[in-house]
Amino acid sequence: MATKPIETRQTIELPDHTQLPDRDNNFVKNFQEHPQSILLTESITPILEIIHPDHHYCIGQDSDIYWRLTDPIERGVVAPDWFYVPNVPPTLKGKPRRSYVLWQEMISPLIVIEFVSGDGSEEQDKTPWEGKFWLYETVIHAGYYAIYEVELARVQVYQLSANHYELIEPNERGHYPIAEMGVELGIWKGIYQNLELPWLRWWDSQGNLLLMGHELAEQERQAKELAEQMAIEERQARESVEQRLLELEQRLREAGL
């Protein structure tokens, strides 16, 4: 009696971040986008260090998120201008990520942010399997999706609710609370890296602007100068009082009192 050949089941090895391209042929659209990403990252880092004492989080800046294995590979990737993923290690096997591979780590970004460089249609595109809005809402499941338009000095923030994005209304300060991070997102008009623009920035839940390193240094410098000026004025006031007392004592002695 002939024996049947033993069937073997082939194991498919999915590629990880080291085996996938680290760019999707996109490029930074203007001189404002890179500073904007730095501004968001640097100012939020102290908050994230408190939220994650184990340092388990990652931030992507114009970095790829692979959400589906496709042929060609570029059809299964999207590159938000900025995103934050909680509760994942900052490196993988000691190496910085080349991309964020959703099927490998299984944790969705808490927030993704897109900087509008055209008319905004790309960021609002809900075309199934292609549009950014659809991908973030339906496949990637980012908890929040922010669309920032520097030319209109505005940001629209959507929150995922029952697998659908709902537009958030701003609070009394004109900011959009991101409750899980204990912060608010909004527009700040000022100068950063020699550009005076309506920048996208973070505030704490009490409405205090989260400062950059140079802003903190300037704040400390001004506080030091103020303290020094107050000390000088206090010393001058004390010396003035002491001088008047000496003059009064002199007049009393001269009057024989």
Side-chain angles (χ1 to χ4, degrees):
M1 180 177 178
T3 58
K4 286 186 175 182
I6 299 174
E7 295 183 2
T8 59
R9 181 173 296 176
Q10 185 178 5
T11 301
I12 299 176
E13 291 287 341
L14 294 176
D16 65 13
H17 73 112
T18 65
Q19 300 164 310
L20 293 164
D22 61 352
R23 58 182 61 245
D24 62 351
N25 297 319
N26 278 330
F27 54 90
V28 175
K29 304 298 191 298
N30 56 56
F31 281 24
Q32 187 259 350
E33 289 191 8
H34 187 59
Q36 176 62 81
S37 292
I38 295 173
L39 181 55
L40 288 170
T41 299
E42 184 177 335
S43 59
I44 198 64
T45 296
I47 298 294
L48 297 182
E49 292 295 311
I50 295 172
I51 295 174
H52 304 285
D54 59 358
H55 307 292
H56 274 213
Y57 71 90
C58 74
I59 288 175
Q61 298 177 161
D62 196 31
S63 301
D64 295 336
I65 297 177
Y66 278 90
W67 54 274
R68 183 173 66 160
L69 191 58
T70 59
D71 185 17
I73 196 68
E74 290 79 9
R75 294 188 61 186
V77 63
V78 63
D81 291 305
W82 195 94
F83 65 92
Y84 151 65
V85 187
N87 304 319
V88 296
T91 59
L92 296 176
K93 297 181 180 179
K95 296 181 179 180
R97 288 179 177 77
R98 291 165 56 91
S99 55
Y100 188 77
V101 185
L102 199 57
W103 65 70
Q104 183 180 20
E105 305 205 54
M106 306 300 291
I107 297 179
S108 297
L110 178 64
I111 181 170
V112 297
I113 302 175
E114 289 285 359
F115 309 154
V116 172
S117 56
D119 60 4
S121 58
E122 181 181 354
E123 291 73 21
Q124 295 282 357
D125 190 353
K126 300 179 182 179
T127 304
W129 304 105
E130 294 181 8
K132 284 186 175 181
F133 194 105
W134 189 91
L135 290 175
Y136 296 141
E137 177 185 52
T138 309
V139 178
I140 296 174
H141 297 295
Y144 295 85
Y145 176 33
I147 302 174
Y148 162 58
E149 298 180 80
V150 63
E151 292 186 1
L152 298 179
R154 75 174 184 182
V155 60
Q156 295 174 289
V157 182
Y158 297 84
Q159 183 176 11
L160 195 66
S161 176
N163 295 322
H164 292 285
Y165 277 142
E166 294 183 359
L167 186 64
I168 301 176
E169 292 295 326
N171 61 18
E172 67 279 3
R173 291 184 286 270
H175 302 159
Y176 300 86
I178 311 297
E180 294 85 346
M181 300 169 69
V183 297
E184 300 173 354
L185 194 62
I187 299 296
W188 173 82
K189 295 183 179 180
I191 298 175
Y192 176 61
Q193 291 199 8
N194 203 35
L195 292 172
E196 185 171 6
L197 292 169
W199 298 92
L200 186 64
R201 295 198 63 168
W202 306 103
W203 284 258
D204 66 20
S205 56
Q206 285 74 49
N208 300 305
L209 184 66
L210 300 187
L211 302 180
M212 297 280 285
H214 73 280
E215 293 172 324
L216 285 169
E218 176 63 19
Q219 187 181 70
E220 291 173 0
R221 184 191 66 80
Q222 292 179 0
K224 182 179 179 181
E225 286 184 355
L226 179 61
E228 291 174 348
Q229 183 62 34
M230 290 177 64
I232 291 172
E233 292 175 357
E234 183 180 348
R235 185 177 68 252
Q236 290 174 340
R238 185 172 60 253
E239 291 173 349
S240 177
V241 170
E242 291 173 351
Q243 181 63 33
R244 289 198 295 271
L245 287 173
L246 290 173
E247 292 173 353
L248 178 59
E249 290 175 0
Q250 180 65 28
R251 288 198 297 270
L252 289 174
R253 282 195 300 269
E254 290 174 354
L257 298 175

